Amino acid sequence: YERLVLFYCAFIALRSEDAENPVGLFDDQEIHGEKSIYAGKIRDDEFPHALRVFKDRDCGGIRLQASVLRGELKKKPVWTAFITTHIESQRWMRKAGPKTIHLADLQRYVFSDDYTPQLGPQGQHELQFESSRDAKDFMDRINELADDQLQHARTQDGSIRNTRPTLRLELGMASSHNASSKPDPPPTSDASSSSTASPKRKDAPSPSSPTKWQIILDLILYTPKRCRYDPANPPRFSIWLNLLFAFAGAFTVANLYYNHPILHLLAQEFGVSNERASLIATLAQAGYASGLLFLCPLGDVFPRRLYVLSLVLFTSTVWLGLCLTNSFAVFCSLTLITSVTTVTPQLMLPLVGDLAPPHRRASALSLTSSGLLLGLLFARLLSGVVTEYTSWRNIYWLAFGLQYLIFALLWLFMPDYPSTNPDGINYFRILYTILQIFVTHPLLVQACLVGFCTSMTFTSFWTTLTFLLSAPPYEYSTLIIGLFALIGIASMFLGPFWSRFVTDRFIPLFSVILGLIICMVGTCIGTYTGTFTVAGPIIQAAFLDFGIQTAVIANRSAIYGILPLARNRINTAYMISAFCGQLTGTAVGNHNFARGGWISSGSTSVGFLAAALLLCVARGPREKRWVGWGGGWQIRKDGDVAKKGDEEKGSVAGGEKDSAESSQHVDEKKERETGGNAAIDLTKVLQR
């Protein structure tokens, strides 16, 4: 087995020198019969490498292999080492730091002439991981392999004594649980249930049995194997994952809007005035705004899977109190708390930007954003229908069940994508850089101002529509008014198709302008005909929802390309401006409707849409300055934009100043050097 591995790795290393047929294009760089147990990133000989652990299915041999991570020599083997006989000893592997592991003995077979093994201060073989998560995950996998060997030895010997839970090496430091680093759940057999014992690992202490809460926590934080991140084979963003994010976003953001149609029922239930009951909706919006500002930026620091699952589980559990409480003060408090943690859809959108390929990013974002808008409208419709025929608490029980369903689906299928800043960033610096990013990138400012105007128009329409339809000449019931949401829902299904065939093919500003024109046409028709025919508001609802969705998706597609490492902070800046637009639309729309009626509030929306169009034409799509049309009027994307890979790296001001292109160029240059340029003598390699 070992000679076969050495020959094969040497052959692959030699063939990787063929520039016309790089090894990364072929599927035979792995040996048939070997199973990949672990994959992570290490910093080896000052260059980034992919470290993998393989186990042979036939003989049980275990080995490490470091390969070039990216660039022209991607997947070229740099070194391999056989560790089958080493892993049973606890003294062989020791954690020397959050990202550093020392191995007492390691015979490396090197396939690159210019490679120098990395050693510790006392000559130990050192593995320097790029994140503490990868280091912990590596130790857990090695522990699992060692336990498997002990189990196999126990079966062979037939001497079973004192059955105990799976042994694990202690990390030697306190660290937070990480979903991607959780091994398979250990057997929970009790030590007292058997009088026999398995052979113990050399020098291994006897750990205590895990508690019930530890088992539950391990189960929650465990990552299924299909969801674990492999740098050599990153997760693919499929249509099913896109639909899952859209579904999760829809029924998570819906938590904010279930109370809107039933505020009068809540006032009766808790014995308060209608004005005081409206505090519930206000607290929901205030909590959501707080979450956008204080929780969303942490998506640039924490691994998104663990972060999203934690927020969804917390929201689901606290939501139970809303279903049961009879206190108005408690209901308001829990509404505020759950609204703060209902920001998970805004964490999923930047993740979609990371996972989706650039030439499909707009359509992927469109599908996920459609879920958010669907949740906003569907929540009001569903709440109105359910409370029309049953108790208002049933809509909250339904939301409770949906939250746990979302948690289960995300636990099963959400990929464990690594943190974009594994070394961490100071929290207060994160908040400060949001302001820095906002004032240093004209494209973001332009998108935020347009988003403010469109959000104002959207909320102003849907807020004042109720007043129009409930008064003469229409005098519709609450149920009929709620059914108007179906108009907006129907128009949203066109969004993904529009994004696929228009937004993905043309510059984002072109789609923004088209969306604003559609909004303008619909708003003018609805404003100036809505007082005498219901067809006006119907047309306005359809045009406004479709046009705003088109503009929002195009804006998101544009701003997510600014700083890939700061997408959550960019999303926070954009959403704060949109949220301010919603608050303005509600206040201004109600004020103008009270003073001048439907035409007055609608005319204000026309003015805001005109301002948005002026903002679009003031700065061209390729202009680098704040105002102008430098770079031309070409509406099609540049040829290289739709084809280039999503390997660009962003940075933020104050310590992250290198541009995306220069960072990528430097990394790939180093990776090419890592692979070696000289031909390798096969005999020399096998001797080493």
Side-chain angles (χ1 to χ4, degrees), residues 125-199:
H125 295 268
E126 185 173 279
L127 298 179
Q128 185 68 40
F129 291 84
E130 289 201 351
S131 69
S132 56
R133 178 201 59 192
D134 284 349
K136 184 180 183 298
D137 200 9
F138 175 79
M139 295 190 74
D140 286 341
R141 298 296 171 263
I142 296 299
N143 285 333
E144 286 181 342
L145 293 172
D147 291 331
D148 289 344
Q149 287 192 353
L150 291 175
Q151 181 71 17
H152 180 71
R154 184 188 68 177
T155 304
Q156 294 296 323
D157 295 342
S159 57
I160 305 177
R161 302 191 190 105
N162 296 333
T163 303
R164 58 181 175 81
T166 306
L167 285 173
R168 305 190 188 283
L169 286 176
E170 297 296 330
L171 294 182
M173 61 176 293
S175 61
S176 61
H177 291 279
N178 188 285
S180 65
S181 61
K182 289 291 172 186
D184 292 336
T188 58
S189 56
D190 190 87
S192 61
S193 63
S194 176
S195 60
T196 59
S198 61

Side-chain angles (χ1 to χ4, degrees), residues 372-688:
L372 270 63
L373 295 175
L374 179 67
L376 187 152
L377 297 175
F378 192 70
R380 298 176 179 180
L381 173 63
L382 186 63
S383 181
V385 173
V386 171
T387 54
E388 179 78 13
Y389 302 104
T390 66
S391 169
W392 67 268
R393 291 189 185 270
N394 288 336
I395 191 64
Y396 278 83
W397 281 111
L398 177 61
F400 174 74
L402 286 171
Q403 290 303 296
Y404 270 99
L405 174 62
I406 290 171
F407 174 80
L409 291 174
L410 292 176
W411 187 91
L412 288 171
F413 301 109
M414 184 176 181
D416 181 28
Y417 201 74
S419 169
T420 53
N421 296 277
D423 294 330
I425 307 175
N426 181 274
Y427 177 69
F428 296 101
R429 185 167 187 79
I430 289 177
L431 300 180
Y432 175 69
T433 55
I434 294 175
L435 296 176
Q436 272 190 318
I437 293 171
F438 187 80
V439 300
T440 55
H441 290 84
L443 174 59
L444 179 60
V445 174
Q446 183 185 37
C448 288
L449 292 177
V450 172
F452 176 90
C453 295
T454 55
S455 297
M456 181 274 167
T457 305
F458 181 84
T459 53
S460 177
F461 168 74
W462 285 104
T463 300
T464 56
L465 179 66
T466 302
F467 302 141
L468 173 70
L469 298 180
S470 61
Y474 304 112
E475 297 183 342
Y476 291 150
S477 66
T478 303
L479 180 61
I480 297 299
I481 295 173
L483 292 177
F484 267 71
L486 293 176
I487 302 170
I489 293 172
S491 65
M492 287 178 191
F493 287 105
L494 297 175
F497 298 100
W498 176 277
S499 298
R500 176 69 182 88
F501 295 105
V502 178
T503 309
D504 277 333
R505 298 185 179 184
F506 298 94
I507 56 174
L509 186 61
F510 174 69
S511 293
V512 173
I513 293 175
L514 285 180
L516 292 175
I517 292 175
I518 294 172
C519 290
M520 179 68 80
V521 172
T523 302
C524 289
I525 293 175
T527 297
Y528 303 113
T529 65
T531 55
F532 56 85
T533 174
V534 75
I538 292 176
I539 294 173
Q540 182 174 355
F543 278 45
L544 192 64
D545 287 350
F546 177 71
I548 288 179
Q549 185 186 18
T550 299
V552 168
I553 297 306
N555 270 331
R556 286 187 184 275
S557 179
I559 63 177
Y560 283 169
I562 296 175
L563 296 174
L565 295 186
R567 278 178 178 151
N568 283 279
R569 279 165 281 175
I570 288 174
N571 187 67
T572 297
Y574 181 78
M575 285 306 303
I576 288 176
S577 65
F579 185 79
C580 291
Q582 292 179 16
L583 294 179
T584 303
T586 302
V588 174
N590 289 337
H591 177 77
N592 288 344
F593 189 91
R595 293 209 168 190
W598 174 256
I599 294 179
S600 176
S601 63
S603 299
T604 304
S605 297
V606 172
F608 273 89
L609 289 173
L613 283 170
L614 289 176
L615 289 169
C616 290
V617 300
R619 182 181 179 276
R622 298 175 180 84
E623 178 60 62
K624 304 300 181 183
R625 298 171 299 175
W626 291 91
V627 178
W629 275 81
W633 294 72
Q634 178 65 33
I635 63 172
R636 283 194 171 273
K637 289 184 176 180
D638 298 331
D640 58 337
V641 171
K643 297 179 181 179
K644 70 176 181 179
D646 196 17
E647 297 178 356
E648 69 270 27
K649 299 295 182 182
S651 60
V652 294
E656 299 169 331
K657 298 180 180 178
D658 292 333
S659 66
E661 288 83 1
S662 62
S663 297
Q664 180 184 355
H665 177 73
V666 171
D667 286 343
E668 292 185 352
K669 181 179 179 181
K670 290 182 178 179
E671 290 154 9
R672 287 194 295 269
E673 294 172 356
T674 306
N677 297 318
I680 302 174
D681 185 356
L682 182 59
T683 305
K684 180 179 178 182
V685 170
L686 293 177
Q687 288 174 349
R688 296 168 83 176

